[in-house]
Every structure is written in structure tokens, then in C-alpha cells.
Amino acid sequence: MSTADYEPDPQPTSPFFKVATAVVVVVALAALVRSILNEEPRGPMAGSYRTSDLLGQPAPAIKAAGWLNGEAPADDYFQGKVVVVDAWAYWCRPCFEAAPELIALHQKYSDQGVVFVGLTTEQSDVLDRSKLFLEKAGITWLNGYGAIETLIGFRADAIPQTWVINRSGTIVWDYSSPDSIESAVDRALAEK
């Protein structure tokens, strides 16, 4: 299915979604105020890249309320592996449009030991919509729902958003990085 054929559902209006949206808005506003006060450019379109304060920091534990397309990973599943984390939502058209690039990366790197995991803040009341999104997008790697704590830990202020974590559990790439996600994965794989 092409991205032109995908029509996302309207954004949900459940009380939980409203709280999750408020948290994301507050985090985004705090980042904006911080960047204004520090006179930093805001985002990659500002002409130069603003370095995220998460780069070089330990990644938060990857947790979810449940898993959409597989069993819950063991507590040590991500340890010692290069991990690509993708934040998404079933109603997010840009998330759907970003899927082909992630699928190509998954095809290239999954046999090299790179683990992909998707996370959404959506809850169990929209599992059918979330599963349909994954099916239509062609995403086959493990995806967790209700991953609010983890995405707050990543300071996810928008979706889609992606991070690369190296084998030692450090965030080495995010949306603010000037290089490509592919070069970050290559670097992380080359690290001993």
C-alpha cells in the first residue's frame, strides 16, 4: 500500500489521550523556551542543528503496557545490542510516511544484530487501530503500546521520532543529529 492510500483515523479524544497530549505539549514548550533562552536554532530546518541534550546519555528502559505484535521482551533483551526506537501513533500520517525508510533500514540491519522497536502512547482501547496501522505500513518488528514512561524518558516532543542506542545503552542519534540514521547505526555497530 502506498502512503497516498493511507487515511489515518482522526485523533482520539479519550481522557487518557488528552493527558498524554498535554504531557507532550508541556515537554515541547519547555524545549522551545530552553532553546529561546539559550539562543539555539530550533530544529533541523533552522539552518544548523541543535544538539539534543540526550545524546551521549543512557537511554531510558524500554517498557510498555503491552506488546502489539509479539511477546514482551525479557528484561535483558535490549542489553548489548544496537537498538533503533521509533515513536509513532496509528493516526499519524507522517509516521506512516516514515515507515518505508525504517523498513529498509530494518531489512538492511536486522541480520547484523540491530534490534528495532516501536513505541506508542496509545492504550489497549485502540489496539485494533494500532495493529491495522502496523499491518498497512508493513512494520513487522516488536511494537509496544502504553509506553508513556519510556517516551517521556526519551523526551519525545513530537511523532514520528526515532533514536539509535549503542550496545552500551547510550543514545547516539536522534532527530537533532546532523548525520543520517544509517550512518549512526553503522557507527554504533563499529563500536566495540
Side-chain angles (χ1 to χ4, degrees), residues 63-109:
K63 298 187 229 174
W67 298 89
L68 292 161
N69 53 351
E71 297 295 318
D75 289 341
D76 63 349
Y77 178 73
F78 298 105
Q79 291 177 358
K81 298 177 182 168
V82 174
V83 182
V84 176
V85 180
D86 177 49
W88 61 275
Y90 72 85
W91 45 262
C92 171
R93 184 174 192 85
C95 298
F96 188 82
E97 292 170 349
E101 178 184 8
L102 288 173
I103 290 168
L105 288 171
H106 181 257
Q107 290 170 344
K108 178 176 180 177
Y109 290 109

Side-chain angles (χ1 to χ4, degrees), residues 5 10 47 49-50 60 71 75 83 102 113 127 153-154 156 169 188:
D5 297 331
Y49 291 90
R50 175 178 59 87
E71 297 295 318
D75 289 341
V83 182
L102 288 173
L127 286 181
F154 274 111

Side-chain angles (χ1 to χ4, degrees), residues 99-191:
E101 178 184 8
L102 288 173
I103 290 168
L105 288 171
H106 181 257
Q107 290 170 344
K108 178 176 180 177
Y109 290 109
S110 63
D111 65 345
Q112 297 179 44
V114 177
V115 175
F116 285 67
V117 63
L119 298 173
T120 183
T121 60
E122 302 299 335
Q123 296 297 307
S124 60
D125 60 333
V126 292
L127 286 181
D128 57 337
R129 293 177 184 158
S130 295
K131 286 179 181 179
L132 183 61
F133 171 89
L134 295 175
E135 180 184 323
K136 285 184 176 184
I139 295 171
T140 58
W141 53 85
L142 192 59
N143 280 267
Y145 65 88
I148 298 165
E149 181 181 337
T150 299
L151 292 174
I152 288 173
F154 274 111
R155 299 181 195 158
D157 57 2
I159 54 172
Q161 208 166 75
T162 309
W163 302 266
V164 175
I165 303 167
N166 68 11
R167 288 185 177 109
S168 63
T170 301
I171 300 170
V172 296
W173 188 91
D174 70 6
Y175 69 96
S176 72
S177 300
D179 58 339
S180 71
I181 187 172
E182 188 170 354
S183 64
V185 172
D186 287 337
R187 258 193 343 270
L189 283 171
E191 293 174 359

